[in-house]
Every structure is written in C-alpha cells, then in structure tokens.
Amino acid sequence: MAAPQLRLLGTRRFLPLFATQFLGAFNDNLYRSAMLFFVAFNLYRQDGTDAALIAVISSGVFILPYFLFSSIAGQLADRIDKARIARIVKIAEIVIMAVGVVALDGGSLMLMMAVLFAMGVHSTIFGPVKYAMLPQHLAADELMGGTGLVEAGTFLAILAGQLAGGLLATTDATHAMLAVAVIGLAASLFIPAAPAAADRPAVEPNLIASTARIVGHARAEKGLFRAVLGITWFFSLGAVLTQQFVPLVGQLGATQAVGALFLGLFSVGVAIGSLAVSQLLGGAISARYGPASALVLALAVIDLGLTVRGMMPSSLPAATPADIPAFLATAGSWHLVIDLLVIAIAGGIYIVPLYALLQTLGDPASRSRDVAANNIVNAAGMVAISLAVTLILALGAGSAGLFLMLGGFGLVVALASYRAPIAPPVPRG
C-alpha cells in the first residue's frame, strides 16, 4: 500500500477533511439508496415502471443544484474561510437528514425529493471547499497523494452508502443518516483554518451571469480547462457504466447481487488506481500517464462491449437468475470482471492527476471558482451523455453496442490527450 500518502491520515492537516468528505459522500448515497428502495418496495411496489421513472427523476433532482449554485459556491469559498463553510455545511446536513427521517417515516415523495435537492445543494457547496482546501494544507509533494486518498475514499464511500441503503431497514437507515451527519460535523470541527487567498469582489447573485463568468474564466486557462474536460469525460463514462449495471445483469440472466458485485468492482478498482498513481508519479503533479491510461480505459470499454456481446443471450434459463457463484461459473464472466477492474483502475490513474492539476494550474485566489466551473461542466457533461445514451439505446444498440460506442469515443479522448498534453503547473513567485 502507498505508505507515504497513508501517513497523511495521521495528520490534522488532512484527516478531518478526509473524514468529513467521506462521511458526506456516504450519507448522500445512503439517503438516495434508502429512498429509492423505499419507493420501489413501498410506494410503487406494484408498478415497476413508475419506480424506475422516480429513479431517473431523482438523479436529475440531485444534479440540478450543480447547475444552479456551483457559481455561488465557488465565489463563497474564495471569499470565506473554507473550514468555516465546511462546518456550516455539516450543520445544514444534520437539519436536512432530520427532515429526511420525517420524509421516509411519513412516506411523502415530494418531501423526499425536497431533501434530495437539499443534499444536492449541500454537496454543491462543499465541492469547491474540499478541493480548494487541499493545496492550502498539503505540501506540493503531498498533493497527489492527498488527492488520491480523497478520490479513493469518495468511491468507497459511494459504494458503502449504496450498499447500506439497500441492506438496512428504513428505520435503521434513518438512524444511521442522523448519526453519520453528527459525526461529520464533529470531524469538521478539527479542520484547520483555510482562509481566502485574497480579497475577492462581492458575490455575483445572478446565477446565469456568474455561471457563465466562472466557466469562461476556467476556459481562459487552456491547461486547466483540458483538465476539466478530462474529468468530465471520466465521470460521464462512469455514470453510464454504473447506470447500466442493473439492466445488464438482467440481460445476462443474473440477480441484483451480481449488479452489486459490478458496482463493488468498479468502486474498489477506482480506489486502487487513485492510490497507485501517486506512487507511479513519485508525488509529482503531472498528467504524463494521462494519455496511456485514457487509451487503456478506452480499449477496456471496447473489450467490455465485445465480452457482453459474446455472453448474449445467456445460456441460463430466464426463470432461474444466477447468483454470484453461478454467474462466475458462466463463460465470459471472468473476462467481464477483469474488464471492469481494468476500466476502474485505469480510470483512477487517469482522474487523480487531473484533479491535482485542477487545484494547481489556476490562480490560488480563484481556486474555488475553478473547482466550481469543473462541477458545472461535469453536470452538463453527465446530462448530455445521458441524453445521448437514451437515444443510442432507443435505436436498439443494447448495452454491448453502447459500450462499443463509448469505447470508440474514448479512443478519440486518448488521441486528444496525446496530441495536446497538459503541462504541469508553473511555480508562482
């Protein structure tokens, strides 16, 4: 394991922020998962179509605040001590989770959606804080390792939250949500001060104008914006892959447990790649492995498409869906498992340097706004690729065809990475 970066977990400069971030990501996904299971097995138990529609709508409700409020969040984080914002956000999370308990206990779908939107706002405000704070607390040779730990922790928290939301009874899930929010607030109290790098102009309240200005500011820094586009590509791809796990297991004649296995492989693989890349780079902030990891990622997605196509139709009878052992005994299953791991590990190696560059290529006084611009572009990218995927699937491509198309686009991304590599940050005097 990566001993130097793991030592950061023993420091006050890093551990409280890491714990606050981990617990926040866990709670986001615990609530979302618990809500969707409640909807599917209580509110719409007899109507799977409506339950599936609610799942799609909930994704939009959660991501909408990134469009609306990222510009405000970035401006605030560049003006106010980021540790203070983190504590305010954690206090708000306790209130939001308390309302979430009421919503789930009362079975109010509208209130559940309102809580989901509020959690999206919570994550929108905290996003610029966590990434802009790291360069203030970590040395230059620690930043890659710290960013890798944050990314690894985030994906593992997402996995743990989703699994907990599905496994816990609703009452137990609501108790856990409140407890995690309180622990998150306690962790945030130990985050060291992270004051604004410089005085900033007053916050622009016009959401459209401020969003355009922040994204335009990031676009002016070519290397920075290339990092933003690279991050957007990976998260858009990851969103599509994870969304396809549920229908894919159905097409392969397997149970939902196999879908959980796929999600676990993806999350753990990204965590492994995130931790490994700092060691590969020796702590240096560099995207030199970006083109190679993008190429491996694209080829693995293409191979995944070919593997899935070769496994269709499943030889298993539709009446007896395969559990994990039975699925792993079928032809092509281990090939699929390896593809998922390679995609995820290559993705971790690809994404962490881009986040480190996002934190260091721009002006420190505008760092939070750069992170906010990244969140805005990420959200737009995920919406755009979701629409494209809907069209592709409507045309009858199926999961295999979809993966092949995504892999082909990934080859274009890899070629662009080779032709226009991102230069490392230049030290500022």
Side-chain angles (χ1 to χ4, degrees):
M1 191 62 76
Q5 66 196 108
L6 291 183
R7 281 199 289 268
L8 290 172
L9 293 173
T11 67
R12 188 186 168 191
R13 294 178 295 124
F14 182 77
L15 179 60
L17 175 60
F18 176 85
T20 302
Q21 155 64 15
F22 183 95
L23 294 169
F26 175 88
N27 237 10
D28 278 349
N29 287 276
L30 171 59
Y31 174 76
R32 291 172 67 187
S33 182
M35 172 189 152
L36 292 176
F37 271 89
F38 182 85
V39 168
F41 291 96
N42 291 277
L43 297 184
Y44 293 101
R45 188 176 186 87
Q46 305 302 323
D47 194 337
T49 301
D50 279 355
L53 179 61
I54 294 299
V56 174
I57 293 172
S58 70
S59 295
V61 168
F62 185 77
I63 203 172
L64 181 60
Y66 286 89
F67 282 116
L68 297 178
F69 305 123
S70 282
S71 60
I72 301 297
Q75 293 177 78
L76 288 173
D78 277 334
R79 286 178 54 84
I80 303 173
D81 188 305
K82 299 171 189 64
R84 181 184 174 194
I85 295 176
R87 292 171 192 128
I88 294 172
V89 166
K90 292 295 115 177
I91 293 171
E93 182 181 343
I94 295 175
V95 176
I96 294 168
M97 287 295 95
V99 178
V101 171
V102 174
L104 288 169
D105 285 346
S108 171
L109 182 59
M110 290 299 294
L111 192 55
M112 289 180 210
M113 287 294 184
V115 169
L116 190 60
F117 182 83
M119 287 301 289
V121 175
H122 155 279
S123 298
T124 298
I125 295 174
F126 189 65
V129 168
K130 66 180 179 183
Y131 286 115
M133 195 185 296
L134 286 175
Q136 290 184 259
H137 290 165
L138 303 183
D141 60 353
E142 296 175 324
L143 189 58
M144 277 293 300
T147 302
L149 282 169
V150 168
E151 289 305 304
T154 298
F155 275 90
L156 293 178
I158 291 170
L159 172 64
Q162 290 181 344
L163 292 178
L167 295 174
L168 293 175
T170 301
T171 301
D172 294 334
T174 57
H175 292 163
M177 283 155 35
L178 278 174
V180 170
V182 171
I183 297 170
L185 172 61
S188 73
L189 298 177
F190 294 93
I191 297 175
D199 290 335
R200 305 300 308 172
V203 172
E204 168 60 68
N206 185 314
L207 297 179
I208 296 175
S210 59
T211 296
R213 186 174 296 112
I214 282 178
V215 174
H217 179 270
R219 287 187 63 187
E221 294 267 359
K222 290 185 179 180
L224 175 70
F225 200 65
R226 286 175 188 156
V228 168
L229 293 177
I231 293 169
T232 298
W233 159 241
F234 173 74
F235 278 105
S236 298
L237 174 65
V240 172
L241 290 176
T242 54
Q243 287 168 4
Q244 287 299 302
F245 287 163
V246 171
L248 179 60
V249 296
Q251 295 168 32
L252 295 175
T255 64
Q256 284 297 101
V258 176
L261 171 66
F262 290 172
L263 179 64
L265 289 169
F266 188 81
S267 300
V268 171
V270 173
I272 291 171
S274 297
L275 294 174
V277 68
S278 177
Q279 299 304 296
L280 291 172
L281 291 168
I285 300 173
S286 168
R288 68 173 178 266
Y289 289 114
S293 57
L295 179 60
V296 171
L297 178 62
L299 292 175
V301 173
I302 290 173
D303 194 61
L304 175 65
L306 295 174
T307 302
V308 169
R309 176 173 289 176
M311 296 176 70
M312 300 285 189
S314 173
S315 59
L316 293 169
T320 57
D323 57 11
I324 292 176
F327 172 76
L328 293 177
T330 62
S333 61
W334 283 100
H335 193 158
L336 188 152
V337 164
I338 292 170
D339 280 337
L340 285 177
L341 277 174
V342 171
I343 290 168
I345 292 172
I349 293 172
Y350 176 75
I351 195 69
V352 168
L354 294 180
Y355 265 115
L357 288 163
L358 174 67
Q359 297 167 66
T360 53
L361 281 176
D363 183 350
S366 302
R367 187 174 287 140
S368 298
R369 292 187 299 162
D370 292 337
V371 177
N374 172 71
N375 291 342
I376 294 167
V377 177
N378 285 180
M382 284 188 278
V383 170
I385 201 167
S386 294
L387 293 174
V389 166
T390 300
L391 176 61
I392 291 169
L393 294 178
L395 294 174
S399 294
L402 174 62
F403 296 153
L404 290 171
M405 291 181 189
L406 289 173
F409 187 79
L411 291 177
V412 176
V413 173
L415 177 61
S417 299
Y418 275 108
R419 298 188 62 176
I422 304 173
V426 177
R428 296 174 182 267

